[in-house]
Amino acid sequence: MRVTASAVSLNVDDVEASASFLKRHFGFAEAMAADGFVSLARPDVGFNVCYLRTGLKSLKPESLKTRRADGLIVAFVVDDIDAEYARIQAEGVKVLTPIETEPWGERYFQVADANGVIIQLVQWMHAPGQPEGVA
């Protein structure tokens, strides 16, 4: 098998609200769109984020028509988590989980878009199982 692209597709009630959030605060651009669907991309991410309107007739299997992106976290690893945290706060985005560092080296914070999709920015301070200062 040869994979040529990848995407994560999330069912939300308001496609435009989620798409606008990623475009405005995280630098994504619209790659394609149709009624009830948008695909967003960044050349440095490696996958597209797609939003599908809940209840869209084309969703298969049928059980997907009523499901939403509840409980999911879309995480992006960044180079300077503290600068991103300051930027997000300056833009007035509500922070759900303030910046913190886990014992295994993950420094992160979380925000949510209008549909409740959690976006987490992460910087690895040191590799899991490695002492601090060893990335």
Side-chain angles (χ1 to χ4, degrees):
M1 173 173 69
R2 182 177 170 279
V3 176
T4 61
S6 58
V8 58
S9 294
L10 307 170
N11 294 354
V12 296
D13 292 331
D14 187 342
V15 168
E16 185 52 41
S18 287
S20 292
F21 188 78
L22 274 192
K23 290 190 274 188
R24 180 174 51 252
H25 299 294
F26 297 99
F28 278 76
E30 192 172 289
M32 67 176 79
D35 181 37
F37 164 80
V38 66
S39 177
L40 303 170
R42 276 184 59 130
D44 57 347
V45 170
F47 65 91
N48 285 22
V49 176
C50 300
Y51 293 106
L52 303 165
R53 186 177 61 240
T54 304
L56 199 61
K57 289 181 182 181
S58 63
L59 286 176
K60 307 288 188 279
E62 189 70 25
S63 63
L64 282 181
K65 290 184 180 169
T66 58
R67 293 193 182 164
R68 289 175 178 74
D70 298 330
L72 297 175
I73 296 173
V74 178
F76 300 109
V77 177
V78 298
D79 291 332
D80 188 344
I81 193 74
D82 295 297
E84 293 301 326
Y85 189 65
R87 178 186 64 79
I88 286 295
Q89 288 182 308
E91 291 177 4
V93 177
K94 180 181 176 189
V95 174
L96 294 179
T97 303
I99 198 164
E100 60 183 68
T101 304
E102 298 288 0
W104 52 84
E106 177 185 30
R107 186 163 173 78
Y108 75 98
F109 68 92
Q110 297 173 328
V111 299
D113 71 14
N115 288 291
V117 175
I118 305 297
I119 307 296
Q120 177 173 299
L121 294 187
V122 175
Q123 181 178 3
W124 288 98
M125 306 313 288
H126 57 86
Q130 298 293 320
E132 286 190 40
V134 179

